[in-house]
């Protein structure tokens, strides 16, 4: 058999030059994703990267794996379809806080609940960067730099970790774009963990949220082992400041597989039929 070439992180980047703003955290996410793909040692044609709309959703164009740039908020629905049709592929979805938690919020909830074996890289900059700086679902209620909300939104922000836990996510990690090596480790861990994995990335937008440069000082690593019990995780992270990084939750639910579900349904039907037949004499 021919030798399979060892791919480097650079092999997973395309020749297209990213057009993100200078200083955008998404550059580091691209680097981390490429590092993770190289670490996994899988051929490029075995990986599919699906995205929605937004600055972060440009990732498929900048990588050299199978890619699909979908419509706003639908990355997870598309990714689930790809994984269920081609379970042999490593399927990764990518999007931002607006794409994933507002327009695609419903898909996010059901992706956590269904537990299809795929990974979601959720890049959170707490602003709609592509459409000129509106408040997003994760924006603090008193942020008043947007012309649309000059007095702030007055609305409590979404907490992605607690939302995902409540919906049934099987793995949740949080990383910081300023630490691409650690982020690559988290992405690798999420991909290799069975079921639906969320990698929540604090990815600063220095164009509309210049104050996010301070995130480098705000992030702090989890000083304990990941939670493995959902109820305990909800209690542990109820007061989380949103800057704890690391693998925060690693559940043990088996991933959704249609063949297994159909077999279980058929077995339940047959068992019920036998019971009814016995009851009828």
């Amino acid at each position: 058999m021919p030798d399979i070439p060892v791919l480097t992180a650079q092999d997973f980047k395309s020749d297209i030059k990213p057009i993100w703003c200078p200083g955008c955290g998404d550059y580091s996410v691209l680097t981390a994703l490429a590092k993770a793909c190289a670490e996994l040692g899988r051929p490029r044609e075995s990986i599919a990267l699906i995205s929605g709309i937004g600055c972060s959703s440009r990732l498929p164009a900048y990588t050299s794996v199978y890619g699909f740039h979908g419509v706003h908020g639908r990355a997870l629905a598309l990714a689930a379809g790809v994984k269920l049709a081609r379970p042999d592929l490593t399927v990764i979805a990518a999007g931002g806080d607006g794409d994933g938690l507002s327009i695609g919020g419903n898909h996010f909830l059901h992706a956590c609940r269904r537990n299809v074996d795929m990974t979601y890289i959720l890049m959170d900059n707490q602003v709609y960067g592509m459409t000129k700086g509106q408040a997003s679902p994760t924006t603090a209620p008193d942020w008043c730099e947007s012309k649309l909300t000059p007095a702030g939104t007055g609305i409590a922000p979404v907490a992605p970790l607690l939302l995902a836990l409540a919906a049934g996510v099987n793995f949740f990690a949080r990383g910081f774009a300023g630490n691409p090596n650690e982020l690559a480790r988290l992405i690798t861990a999420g991909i290799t963990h069975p079921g639906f994995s969320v990698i929540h990335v604090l990815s600063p937008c220095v164009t509309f949220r210049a104050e996010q440069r301070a995130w480098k000082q705000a992030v702090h690593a989890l000083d304990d082992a990941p939670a493995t019990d959902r109820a305990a995780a909800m209690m542990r992270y109820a007061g989380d400041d949103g800057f704890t990084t690391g693998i925060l939750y690693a559940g043990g639910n088996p991933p959704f597989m249609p063949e297994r579900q159909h077999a279980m349904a058929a077995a339940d039907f047959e068992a019920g039929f036998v019971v009814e037949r016995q009851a009828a004499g």
Side-chain angles (χ1 to χ4, degrees):
M1 294 181 63
D3 293 334
I4 299 175
V6 177
L7 300 178
T8 67
Q10 191 59 39
D11 292 320
F12 286 93
K13 292 184 179 182
S14 73
D15 294 331
I16 300 175
K17 183 179 179 180
I19 56 172
W20 292 308
C21 300
C24 176
D26 292 352
Y27 284 101
S28 293
V29 178
L30 173 61
T31 296
L33 177 58
K35 285 177 177 286
C37 289
E39 178 67 24
L40 288 167
R42 301 174 188 178
R44 290 177 292 187
E45 63 271 18
S46 72
I47 301 173
L49 178 60
I50 316 297
S51 73
I53 295 295
C55 297
S56 55
S57 293
R58 291 174 172 147
L59 270 178
Y62 305 145
T63 57
S64 59
V65 300
Y66 281 125
F68 189 91
H69 195 175
V71 295
H72 211 177
R74 304 301 185 261
L76 288 173
L78 291 166
V82 171
K83 183 63 181 182
L84 294 177
R86 288 288 306 274
D88 57 305
L89 294 178
T90 296
V91 177
I92 304 167
D97 43 303
D99 186 70
L101 299 175
S102 182
I103 296 89
N106 185 52
H107 292 300
F108 180 76
L109 294 177
H110 293 292
C112 292
R113 181 175 69 90
R114 290 191 182 104
N115 200 31
V116 174
D117 189 17
M118 59 186 190
T119 302
Y120 186 36
I121 300 176
L122 176 61
M123 285 160 271
D124 187 357
N125 58 15
Q126 301 179 2
V127 72
Y128 281 98
M130 179 174 279
T131 50
K132 309 308 179 187
Q134 302 97 319
S136 84
T138 56
T139 303
D142 57 352
W143 184 70
C144 54
E145 296 302 317
S146 170
K147 294 180 180 179
L148 292 180
T149 52
T153 65
I155 303 171
V158 168
L161 170 57
L162 297 179
L163 182 66
L165 286 170
V169 73
N170 209 40
F171 180 97
F172 193 103
R174 185 187 290 130
F176 175 49
N179 190 347
N181 289 332
E182 171 65 5
L183 182 56
R185 183 186 74 85
L186 298 177
I187 294 173
T188 301
I191 291 173
T192 56
H193 190 89
F196 182 59
S197 302
V198 174
I199 313 299
H200 180 213
V201 185
L202 301 172
S203 182
C205 173
V206 295
T207 297
F208 295 107
R209 301 292 305 270
E211 72 276 13
Q212 290 178 347
R213 295 180 187 274
W215 279 6
K216 184 175 181 180
Q217 284 71 45
V219 294
H220 51 92
L222 179 70
D223 57 2
D224 200 353
T228 56
D229 178 80
R230 190 177 309 278
M234 293 288 287
M235 294 182 65
R236 180 195 288 191
Y237 300 120
D240 180 59
D241 63 358
F243 290 96
T244 306
T245 60
I247 300 174
L248 306 183
Y249 176 74
N253 290 338
F256 174 77
M257 296 180 182
E259 295 81 3
R260 184 181 64 216
Q261 303 302 122
H262 294 161
M264 291 172 61
D268 289 343
F269 176 81
E270 179 63 25
F273 177 75
V274 170
V275 170
E276 289 181 4
R277 187 170 57 184
Q278 291 173 344

